[in-house]
């Protein structure tokens, strides 16, 4: 059995994994060890984004120190529990943030998304039972073991419990990393922690390229929890915030999202591979001349991406596109045929 930490943090604007691995590596390592003890796994694999060389070296140093202290290896402290770590530096493929592509990459294969079932907990790394979790989840485990699940669950709201690390970009007066209780109003994050915007902003892309595109007028309707984002048609994800300035065309941003998906697609399923390319082509053509996009064709395209893609890369792209069509229709309407 294996415990795998998915630290391939490739979403623009997200730095929570980097912060934890560079500043609190022992929280993550201890979380993986506890998970291994509970699941009966003796190996932890940490797959770290290649663009984070400091995170890779700091994590390896922390592992080496645990070995020196006799807290890793065979028969740890005479307990009968064996555990070792393997650190792997990724090579810059965004698709490896998807858990099955990540497992294929660790095995030395082309990082393509696998069809499920079987799920990783049944047949994962080298066809053995594997638990894949993200950095933030694993870093919470030591606190939960020490203080109890009820204490952790008492923080937050509804099914969104605990705390959340949020990355605010350079369009805020006070950019940086903040930890907030789940359920904290988004207005508090934007206006109090971030101290508002330093220049006019029309939307915030929250949770990476596949997250929700939130217009600024919706800030007061949302809180940092999964329920309020889902209810309003957005996705919280890992809660990184990338701002779109007032003067940046939404159509150009949508073209960028399609191109990003086309570039990072593993190519295994055609809705993602071909659909993202066609979307980018249509949006670029509409900006350059007399061509107008057929709304029915465009809606069919994003529906095919949404329901036909194997993973969240192609399947998640339609969400910010739909958000843009809903909230910025006035700006986008000139690029579409009049129905």
């Amino acid at each position: 059995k294996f415990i795998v930490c998915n630290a391939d943090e490739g979403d623009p604007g997200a730095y929570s994994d980097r912060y934890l691995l560079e500043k609190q590596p022992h929280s993550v390592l201890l979380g993986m060890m506890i998970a291994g003890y509970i699941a009966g796994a003796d190996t932890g694999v940490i797959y770290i984004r290649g663009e984070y060389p400091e995170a890779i070296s700091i994590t390896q140093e922390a592992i080496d120190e645990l070995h020196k202290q006799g807290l890793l290896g065979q028969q740890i402290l005479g307990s009968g529990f064996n555990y070792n770590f393997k650190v792997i530096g990724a090579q810059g493929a965004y698709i490896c943030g998807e858990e099955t592509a990540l497992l294929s990459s660790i095995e030395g294969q082309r990082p393509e998304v696998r069809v499920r079932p079987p799920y990783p907990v049944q047949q994962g790394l080298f066809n053995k039972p594997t638990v894949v979790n993200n950095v933030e989840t694993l870093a919470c485990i030591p606190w939960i073991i020490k203080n109890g699940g009820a204490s952790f669950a008492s923080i937050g709201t509804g099914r969104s419990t605990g705390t959340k690390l949020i990355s605010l970009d350079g369009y805020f007066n006070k950019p940086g990393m903040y930890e907030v209780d789940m359920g904290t109003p988004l207005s508090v994050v934007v206006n109090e922690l971030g101290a508002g915007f330093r220049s006019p902003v029309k939307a915030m892309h929250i949770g990476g390229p596949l997250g929700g595109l939130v217009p600024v007028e919706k800030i007061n309707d949302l809180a940092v929890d999964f329920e309020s984002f889902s209810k309003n048609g957005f996705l919280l994800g890992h809660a990184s915030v990338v701002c779109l300035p007032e003067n940046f065309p939404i159509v150009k941003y949508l073209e960028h999202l399609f191109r990003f998906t086309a570039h990072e697609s593993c190519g295994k399923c055609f809705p993602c591979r071909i659909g993202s390319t066609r979307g980018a082509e249509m949006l670029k053509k509409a900006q350059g001349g007399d061509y107008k996009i057929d709304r029915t064709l465009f809606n069919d395209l994003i529906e095919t991406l949404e329901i036909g893609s194997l993973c969240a890369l192609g399947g998640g792209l339609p969400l910010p596109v739909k958000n843009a069509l809903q909230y910025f229709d006035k700006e986008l309407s000139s690029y579409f045929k009049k129905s």
Side-chain angles (χ1 to χ4, degrees):
K1 296 179 181 178
F2 295 98
I3 305 296
V4 174
C5 175
N6 182 349
D8 191 43
E9 183 176 58
D11 284 335
Y15 299 98
S16 53
D17 292 0
R18 180 182 181 183
Y19 163 76
L20 288 169
L21 290 171
E22 292 182 7
K23 302 297 183 183
Q24 300 186 41
H26 291 93
S27 294
V28 181
L29 296 175
L30 184 55
M32 293 181 72
M33 292 175 72
I34 293 169
Y37 182 80
I38 293 168
D42 63 4
T43 303
V45 182
I46 311 176
Y47 189 95
I48 304 177
R49 185 184 183 194
E51 291 87 345
Y52 290 170
E54 295 92 347
I56 294 171
S57 60
I58 289 169
T59 301
Q60 187 60 60
E61 287 167 12
I63 291 169
D64 294 342
E65 184 60 32
L66 288 173
H67 271 292
K68 287 178 187 174
Q69 298 289 335
L71 299 174
L72 274 179
Q74 302 298 110
Q75 300 289 329
I76 299 170
L77 300 178
S79 64
F81 176 53
N82 308 324
Y83 203 83
N84 281 294
F85 284 103
K86 172 76 173 177
V87 176
I88 294 176
Q91 298 297 312
Y94 181 76
I95 193 63
C96 287
E98 195 283 330
E99 62 177 7
T100 62
L102 181 151
L103 295 177
S104 292
S105 176
I106 294 172
E107 293 171 354
Q109 300 184 57
R110 177 184 172 89
E112 288 185 338
V113 175
R114 301 178 184 179
V115 177
R116 286 162 287 197
Y119 294 92
V121 289
Q122 300 160 324
Q123 285 177 250
L125 189 59
F126 302 114
N127 286 325
K128 301 296 183 185
T130 303
V131 172
V132 184
N133 261 314
N134 63 44
V135 177
E136 204 168 346
T137 297
L138 291 162
C140 287
I141 293 176
W143 193 96
I144 294 170
I145 292 295
K146 182 179 179 182
N147 298 282
S151 295
F152 188 83
S154 69
I155 305 168
T157 177
R159 297 180 64 188
S160 302
T161 55
T163 64
K164 190 78 193 72
L165 289 173
I166 296 180
S167 307
L168 302 183
D169 76 354
Y171 277 95
F172 289 88
N173 285 304
K174 290 185 178 178
M177 181 82 63
Y178 296 90
E179 183 178 15
V180 301
D181 290 355
M182 294 293 271
T184 300
L186 187 59
S187 59
V188 170
V189 174
V190 171
N191 299 318
E192 295 181 23
L193 300 179
F197 304 113
R198 63 175 64 201
S199 59
V201 163
K202 62 183 171 186
M204 301 181 297
H205 206 163
I206 301 178
L210 314 176
L213 190 63
V214 180
V216 289
E217 62 265 24
K218 294 290 288 183
I219 289 173
N220 292 328
D221 297 339
L222 299 169
V224 183
D225 60 65
F226 301 110
E227 290 90 340
S228 75
F229 268 71
S230 177
K231 181 182 174 184
N232 284 275
F234 304 113
L235 182 74
L236 179 64
H238 51 61
S240 66
V241 181
V242 173
C243 296
L244 270 70
E246 190 69 59
N247 60 358
F248 194 88
I250 288 288
V251 66
K252 199 170 186 63
Y253 188 67
L254 292 183
E255 182 197 344
H256 164 71
L257 290 178
F258 275 100
R259 288 203 182 283
F260 177 85
T261 303
H263 179 72
E264 297 293 351
S265 174
C266 76
K268 185 166 184 175
C269 69
F270 70 85
C272 175
R273 182 183 75 241
I274 300 174
S276 56
T277 302
R278 292 293 168 263
E281 288 171 350
M282 278 196 279
L283 289 161
K284 182 175 178 60
K285 197 174 176 182
Q287 294 172 68
D290 297 331
Y291 175 76
K292 303 290 183 185
I293 300 169
D294 184 296
R295 278 190 184 270
T296 302
L297 180 64
F298 194 74
N299 289 336
D300 281 350
L301 174 69
I302 58 176
E303 183 184 17
T304 302
L305 275 159
E306 189 171 36
I307 65 176
S309 298
L310 271 176
C311 81
L313 181 55
L317 172 65
L319 177 64
V321 177
K322 286 179 177 179
N323 293 155
L325 292 171
Q326 179 180 354
Y327 293 105
F328 297 97
D329 182 65
K330 189 174 179 182
E331 182 182 333
L332 291 169
S333 61
S334 63
Y335 299 99
F336 288 84
K337 288 180 182 176
K338 289 183 170 56
S339 53

